[in-house]
């Protein structure tokens, strides 16, 4: 009796264990190292790599070696014990430039001239009849990046018989911004709570911190701002700095620096001063000493990220000073340690009645050239706020004497949270490719960001993280692609979103072309799809207010005009849209003349941006010969149709995807479809009150009344504090 019980217990445990092994909960992200099933590919790899060897003993080299071991044992199904300095045949060798043999160094001389300090070389070399693949760089971090990229070759089943890959990042600071609060809630977070368990830090190091660093290093991210830009001064107290140090220690072997957000009023809140005036000597000294304290604990601390005088955050203007005074004061404090200050340009004031889209430019451009060298201005991709589509921010290219960094949002605050499948690299690509014309044709945003347009020494890019403690990190399995894609574009802002989708799908799901081809197509279309069912033809910020979940074009009762959707769409009997032309707010004049003219003229303004720049009559005829009203309605319907298509496409994929992730995506696409219809019906019913026109026959009749949609309330929608 007892034995039977024991036996069944063992069998159950074994079963649970094996299910756990087989289950794909998405935790491994794109770092799936499952054994390669294609025999031809596998045998090429096994005959090319017989031994692994390395040189160097830093913690970064150790991280590279253990990743190679983990990757090879999984992908090739064979353990490789790494030797130090072996030189046998069919070797995979890892080591930085200074660790290479004389012969190897000579061989790679020209290649080293092509990379920067974080770059890497992966090359097949034949020396004295012996073949080896060398992964190297000028520094150990280059070797680590090379190691991850080598494993990616295997994951995507590329030939490794004659390798010659030379690559370097084009942007210096490639970082995630976490809007994580100290109570572990995440502002605009849709994937659970914060990864940072401040309560158990610094003594308890969660494996997730290490895996977070691995994932980031694998795509070249080299910085992380741990805390919300709506900042809490407590992070700067000794108690919390110990915890920040513990995280910095975990991230260092992966080349990742930590940054924290600096609350401008910290000298008052935690320093017992009576002012935070940036020109006050006590305040300056307080920041100087605070910075020294931080660097004593974390010698490679990255610096501060600051949101000041924006949406109620304190800043230099509280003391009659300006952004330059505030940023430079902090910059002076971190300068002796090579730290930087990332000062955000996301500002708009309740006292300023001009078009919100114009305010950041007006406030910052006059300060061009006045910031210290270690200040970089962080600018959102568009002038309003991370909308499904925005024209590029006019500040890009308009401050030639100031480094500007890009801020993209990876978390989907305005794009369906983590329940909608939206592939964001398509949005990022559109912005990076946009031409500012500031130095003639070809002055793209990418060139502003990578510093080549104005020869900038300090360059950067930030992505507002979509990561939380959900088992698969991002909530939606496909939201992992947005983290991945952000990292890849941060490394190289000229990469194609299609290339990135291809890589990601292969690393994350399958190399089978019957899967890759349709799913890639679906991903690439998904951004336009969300634009269509939420904010077609240049509409923007018509989400319900506060949580930004679902449609709310009718909202008009908030205290600040620019917090109300009606401010943005201006629908009335004459038409719809925000007039930002010379007859309206004249925001168009903030662009270079070529772009200003294009946007200013209704005939040349791209239709995708039409209602961003123009108030247009309902009867206006668009290029397809149909009226504006019909076009709006048809776009909403197209969005819904496309989600239907995504869903049917996905439903034929069960043979290529594990059951868990297949079902997750299937259920999420059903939610997305429901919500796309909600968007279509609510917006069209609302706008129809003004257009007073019938819906075109292709558009499905709404199943509910406008009053029904207006009555929906979501006090606990994720991503906000309930008291907001
Ligand atoms: O998009 C808005 C968000 C705020 C956010 C702000 C910002 C962190 O709704 O939640 O605050 O932008 O970027 O500062």
């Amino acid at each position: 009796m007892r034995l039977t019980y024991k036996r069944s217990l063992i069998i159950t445990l074994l079963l649970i264990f094996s299910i756990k092994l087989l289950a794909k909960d998405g935790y491994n992200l794109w770092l799936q190292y499952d054994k390669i099933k294609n025999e031809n590919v596998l045998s090429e790899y096994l005959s090319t790599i017989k031994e692994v060897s390395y040189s160097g003993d830093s913690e970064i080299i150790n991280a590279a070696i253990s990743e190679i071991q983990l990757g090879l044992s999984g992908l090739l199904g064979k353990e490789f014990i790494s030797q130090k300095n072996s030189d046998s045949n069919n070797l995979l060798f890892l080591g930085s430039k200074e660790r290479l043999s004389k012969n190897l160094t000579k061989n790679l001389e020209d290649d080293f001239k092509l990379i920067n300090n974080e770059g890497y070389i992966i090359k097949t070399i034949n020396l004295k009849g012996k073949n080896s693949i060398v992964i190297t760089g000028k520094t150990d971090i280059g070797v680590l990046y090379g190691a991850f990229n080598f494993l990616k070759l295997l994951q995507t089943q590329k030939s490794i018989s004659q390798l010659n890959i030379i690559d370097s990042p084009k942007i210096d600071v490639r970082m995630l911004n976490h809007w994580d609060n100290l109570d572990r809630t995440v502002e605009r977070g849709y994937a659970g709570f914060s990864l940072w368990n401040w309560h158990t830090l610094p003594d308890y190091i969660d494996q997730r911190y290490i895996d977070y660093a691995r994932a980031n290093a694998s795509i070249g991210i080299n910085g992380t701002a741990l805390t919300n830009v709506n900042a809490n001064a407590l992070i700067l107290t000794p108690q919390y700095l110990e915890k920040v140090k513990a995280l910095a220690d975990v991230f260092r072997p992966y080349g990742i620096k930590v940054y924290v957000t600096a609350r401008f009023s910290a000298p008052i809140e935690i320093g017992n001063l009576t002012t935070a005036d940036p020109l006050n000597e006590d305040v300056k000294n307080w920041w100087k000493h605070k910075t020294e304290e931080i660097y004593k604990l974390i010698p490679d601390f990255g610096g501060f990220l600051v949101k000041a005088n924006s949406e109620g955050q304190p800043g230099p203007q509280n003391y009659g000073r300006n952004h330059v005074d505030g940023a430079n004061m902090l910059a002076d404090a971190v300068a002796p340690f090579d730290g930087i200050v990332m000062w955000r340009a996301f500002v708009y004031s309740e006292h300023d009645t001009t078009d919100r889209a114009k305010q950041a430019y007006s406030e910052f451009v006059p300060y061009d050239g006045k910031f210290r060298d270690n200040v970089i201005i962080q600018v959102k991709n568009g002038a309003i706020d991370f909308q499904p589509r925005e024209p590029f921010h006019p500040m890009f290219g308009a401050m030639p004497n100031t480094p500007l960094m890009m801020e993209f949002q990876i978390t989907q605050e305005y794009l369906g949270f983590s329940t909608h499948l939206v592939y964001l690299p398509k949005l990022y690509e559109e912005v990076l490719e946009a031409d500012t014309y500031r130095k003639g044709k070809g002055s793209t945003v990418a060139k502003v960001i990578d510093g080549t347009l104005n020869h900038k020494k300090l360059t950067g890019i930030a992505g507002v993280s979509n990561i939380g403690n959900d088992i698969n990190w991002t909530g939606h399995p496909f939201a992992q692609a947005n983290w991945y894609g952000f990292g890849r574009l941060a490394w190289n802002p000229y990469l194609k979103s299609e290339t990135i989708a291809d890589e990601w799908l292969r690393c994350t799901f399958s190399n089978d072309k019957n899967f890759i081809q349709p799913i890639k197509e679906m991903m690439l279309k998904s951004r336009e799809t969300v634009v269509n069912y939420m904010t077609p033809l240049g509409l923007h910020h018509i989400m319900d207010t506060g949580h930004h979940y679902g449609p709310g074009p009718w909202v008009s009762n908030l205290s600040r005009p620019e917090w109300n959707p009606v401010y943005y769409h201006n629908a009335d009997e004459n038409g719809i849209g925000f007039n930002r032309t010379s007859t309206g707010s004249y925001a168009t004049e903030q662009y270079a003349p070529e772009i200003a003219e294009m946007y200013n003229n209704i005939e040349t303004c791209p239709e995708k941006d039409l209602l961003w720049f123009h108030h247009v009559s309902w009867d206006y005829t668009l290029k397809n010969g149909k009226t504006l009203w019909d076009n709006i309605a048809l776009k909403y319907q197209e969005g819904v149709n496309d989600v239907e298509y995504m869903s049917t496409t996905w439903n034929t994929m069960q043979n290529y995807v594990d059951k868990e992730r297949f079902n997750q995506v299937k259920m999420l696409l059903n939610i997305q479809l429901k919500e796309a219809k909600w968007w279509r019906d609510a917006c069209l019913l609302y706008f129809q009150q003004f257009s007073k026109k019938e819906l075109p026959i292709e558009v499905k009749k709404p199943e509910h009344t406008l009053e029904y949609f207006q009555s929906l309330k979501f006090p606990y929608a994720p991503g906000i504090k309930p008291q907001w």
Side-chain angles (χ1 to χ4, degrees):
M1 184 66 192
R2 245 208 196 150
L3 253 182
T4 337
Y5 171 73
K6 245 190 177 171
R7 259 173 72 180
S8 66
L9 188 74
I10 290 170
I11 291 169
T12 319
L13 284 176
L14 277 175
L15 215 78
I16 292 173
F17 184 62
S18 58
I19 287 173
K20 239 193 134 36
L21 280 184
L22 291 176
K24 287 273 183 205
D25 52 22
Y27 181 85
N28 288 338
L29 297 161
W30 48 88
L31 300 174
Q32 311 274 348
Y33 297 142
D34 295 338
K35 186 163 178 203
I36 293 168
K37 291 197 197 88
N38 183 324
E39 287 300 331
N40 293 338
V41 175
L42 187 63
S43 76
E44 182 207 315
Y45 293 167
L46 284 169
S47 60
T48 315
I49 313 167
K50 295 246 157 85
E51 218 177 276
V52 176
S53 151
Y54 69 101
S55 176
D57 44 25
S58 69
E59 44 180 13
I60 298 179
I61 289 294
N62 290 340
I65 285 296
S66 53
E67 195 68 32
I68 285 283
Q69 279 171 341
L70 183 73
L72 292 187
S73 69
L75 289 157
L76 308 186
K78 181 181 156 192
E79 296 299 324
F80 290 85
I81 312 292
S82 322
Q83 318 276 345
K84 264 202 163 179
N85 300 317
S86 157
D87 72 342
S88 53
N89 201 4
N90 298 321
L91 194 67
L92 176 68
F93 177 81
L94 290 90
S96 67
K97 186 176 179 192
E98 62 194 25
R99 298 286 185 157
L100 302 182
S101 67
K102 269 206 188 106
N103 277 338
L104 270 183
T105 317
K106 231 176 120 201
N107 229 286
L108 294 167
E109 217 167 10
D110 289 338
D111 299 329
F112 275 116
K113 287 187 194 135
L114 300 175
I115 61 169
N116 62 30
N117 277 340
E118 292 178 294
Y120 64 87
I121 300 167
I122 306 177
K123 196 159 181 161
T124 307
I125 291 186
N126 187 295
L127 273 181
K128 298 185 199 146
K130 287 181 184 167
N131 265 326
S132 56
I133 295 172
V134 177
I135 301 178
T136 186
K138 286 184 179 159
T139 60
D140 288 348
I141 196 65
V143 178
L144 179 70
Y145 289 150
F148 276 113
N149 280 286
F150 178 75
L151 289 172
K152 189 166 74 188
L153 294 175
L154 308 191
Q155 286 180 282
T156 53
Q157 303 192 0
K158 301 279 180 314
S159 169
I160 58 163
S161 61
Q162 272 310 320
L163 292 172
N164 187 10
I165 301 172
I166 299 166
D167 200 8
S168 289
K170 294 189 191 299
I171 295 174
D172 306 327
V173 179
R174 308 177 295 278
M175 69 176 333
L176 292 182
N177 286 183
H178 288 266
W179 287 355
D180 292 17
N181 299 314
L182 299 185
D183 62 4
R184 291 193 81 179
T185 56
V186 180
E187 186 161 343
R188 311 309 179 183
Y190 313 105
F193 286 95
S194 170
L195 286 187
W196 324 132
N197 189 339
W198 298 109
H199 181 64
T200 54
L201 280 166
D203 303 309
Y204 186 91
I205 300 300
D206 195 321
Q207 177 63 31
R208 282 200 100 145
Y209 305 152
I210 301 162
D211 292 331
Y212 166 86
R214 285 176 53 229
N216 278 325
S218 76
I219 47 176
I221 285 173
N222 66 358
T224 180
L226 300 172
T227 46
N228 192 352
V229 288
N230 289 332
N232 186 329
L234 279 184
I235 194 69
L236 299 170
T237 58
Q239 187 193 1
Y240 276 91
L241 287 174
E242 282 292 339
K243 300 170 194 279
V244 175
K245 173 194 159 35
L247 289 174
D249 291 343
V250 175
F251 300 159
R252 191 169 297 111
Y254 295 91
I256 297 166
K257 284 186 183 182
V258 300
Y259 299 75
V260 295
T261 44
R263 182 157 165 91
F264 206 77
S265 49
I268 303 172
E269 287 159 22
I270 57 167
N272 286 325
L273 298 189
T274 50
T275 176
D277 180 349
L279 300 192
N280 177 294
E281 285 308 312
D282 292 339
V283 171
K284 286 191 207 169
N285 276 327
W286 188 86
W287 282 109
K288 198 169 153 265
H289 290 133
K290 185 47 73 186
T291 306
E292 283 163 5
E293 182 189 336
I294 298 175
Y295 278 94
K296 229 183 231 150
L297 285 170
I298 310 164
D300 58 351
F301 178 69
F304 295 123
L305 168 63
V306 190
K307 171 175 178 177
N309 293 121
S310 161
E311 297 184 332
Q313 292 297 301
Q317 291 170 358
N318 299 36
Y319 306 95
R321 314 297 182 194
N322 61 35
H323 291 292
V324 178
D325 300 326
N328 286 355
M329 183 268 296
L330 289 175
D332 289 342
V334 294
F337 311 97
D338 292 330
I340 62 168
V341 170
M342 293 163 293
W343 193 268
R344 295 177 86 230
F346 177 68
V347 294
Y348 59 99
S349 155
E350 63 257 56
H351 309 298
D352 192 342
T353 52
T354 53
D355 177 3
R356 170 173 164 187
K358 291 180 76 173
Q359 294 187 29
Y361 178 105
S362 310
E363 209 167 314
F364 275 85
V365 171
Y367 298 135
D368 186 26
K370 300 214 164 65
F371 293 96
R372 298 276 193 268
D373 289 347
N374 59 337
V375 174
I376 186 161
I377 305 299
Q378 184 165 312
V379 185
K380 288 189 181 182
N381 59 272
I384 295 286
D385 196 6
F386 297 140
Q387 295 303 296
R389 168 165 282 127
E390 292 194 42
F392 72 88
H393 202 304
M395 281 177 71
F396 291 115
M399 294 180 73
N401 302 307
T402 309
L404 295 192
M405 69 189 278
M406 171 66 76
E407 179 175 330
F408 282 129
Q409 196 177 42
I410 312 175
T411 191
Q412 293 168 239
E413 174 182 358
Y414 296 100
L415 289 108
F417 294 10
S418 271
T419 31
H420 293 206
L421 190 162
V422 185
Y423 177 60
L424 292 176
K426 196 76 187 160
L427 183 163
Y428 307 153
E429 177 182 54
E430 179 177 286
V431 176
L432 292 164
E433 284 179 350
D435 198 340
T436 70
Y437 272 88
R438 286 293 175 184
K439 282 190 154 180
K441 194 170 162 44
S443 309
T444 59
V445 172
K447 287 187 187 168
V448 176
I449 296 310
D450 77 359
T452 51
L453 192 69
N454 296 304
H455 314 292
K456 285 282 147 296
K457 281 205 220 85
L458 178 59
T459 58
I461 182 164
V464 179
S465 153
N466 62 348
I467 306 167
N469 70 351
D470 272 9
I471 188 82
N472 72 0
W473 306 81
T474 55
H476 200 305
F478 274 78
Q480 296 178 353
N482 296 335
W483 175 8
Y484 181 89
F486 166 77
R488 298 289 288 126
L489 284 166
W491 179 276
N492 179 356
Y494 302 95
L495 278 179
K496 291 277 153 223
S497 62
E498 179 174 356
T499 314
I500 299 171
D502 196 275
E503 264 173 34
W504 178 80
L505 281 170
R506 286 172 193 278
C507 293
T508 309
F509 286 109
S510 160
N511 276 283
D512 196 314
K513 65 174 187 328
N514 296 323
F515 173 78
I516 300 284
Q517 198 270 334
I519 299 304
K520 185 165 70 180
E521 209 175 285
M522 169 178 114
M523 286 170 78
L524 293 175
K525 209 170 171 195
S526 61
R527 188 286 185 114
E528 205 57 43
T529 299
V530 74
V531 169
N532 286 339
Y533 66 71
M534 283 189 187
T535 52
L537 297 166
L539 285 173
H540 51 288
H541 225 309
I542 56 173
M543 295 75 195
D544 201 355
T545 41
H547 48 60
H548 298 150
Y549 172 59
W554 45 80
V555 179
S556 63
N557 59 353
L558 299 181
S559 56
R560 286 173 64 167
E562 76 286 0
W563 282 354
N564 291 302
V566 294
Y567 170 91
Y568 297 98
H569 63 67
N570 284 295
D572 58 20
E573 290 184 0
N574 301 321
I576 181 169
F578 200 123
N579 183 358
R580 296 196 164 102
T581 69
S582 46
T583 61
S585 78
Y586 213 2
T588 49
E589 77 172 343
Q590 292 183 334
Y591 289 96
E594 293 86 341
I595 302 289
E597 240 165 71
M598 173 186 72
Y599 284 145
N600 208 49
N601 181 344
I602 193 166
E603 298 293 322
T604 55
C605 180
E607 286 184 350
K608 63 181 170 51
D609 300 316
L610 189 62
L611 305 179
W612 186 282
F613 289 110
H614 297 265
H615 188 75
V616 183
S617 119
W618 297 110
D619 288 321
Y620 180 79
T621 313
L622 267 65
K623 297 207 173 68
N624 61 6
K626 296 186 172 136
T627 63
L628 173 68
W629 167 251
D630 280 359
N631 269 284
I632 292 177
L634 290 168
K635 282 282 178 202
Y636 274 107
Q637 183 62 46
E638 188 183 331
V640 172
N641 296 347
D642 286 345
V643 182
E644 246 152 25
Y645 147 84
M646 296 208 290
S647 174
T648 30
T649 308
W650 182 258
N651 290 348
T652 61
M653 292 294 142
Q654 60 269 56
N655 291 342
Y656 307 102
V657 186
D658 50 284
K659 218 167 148 198
E660 289 75 8
R661 289 184 297 175
F662 176 77
N663 282 330
Q664 282 172 4
V665 175
K666 186 177 162 169
M667 291 185 286
L668 287 163
L669 281 167
N670 285 340
I671 299 179
Q672 185 170 0
L673 182 57
K674 227 163 61 185
E675 296 191 354
K677 289 179 181 167
W678 170 28
W679 267 95
R680 175 197 61 194
D681 295 348
C683 290
L684 289 178
L685 281 173
Y686 171 73
F687 292 136
Q688 198 173 29
Q689 301 179 107
F690 304 100
S691 80
K692 302 195 165 55
K693 290 177 188 303
E694 289 297 310
L695 290 173
I697 44 163
E698 297 89 332
V699 179
K700 267 249 173 98
K701 297 267 167 304
E703 281 170 20
H704 298 280
T705 61
L706 178 59
E707 291 66 37
Y708 165 80
F709 291 117
Q710 289 176 325
S711 74
L712 299 175
K713 295 281 172 285
F714 305 94
Y716 300 109
I720 53 161
K721 290 199 167 69
Q723 69 263 29
W724 286 11

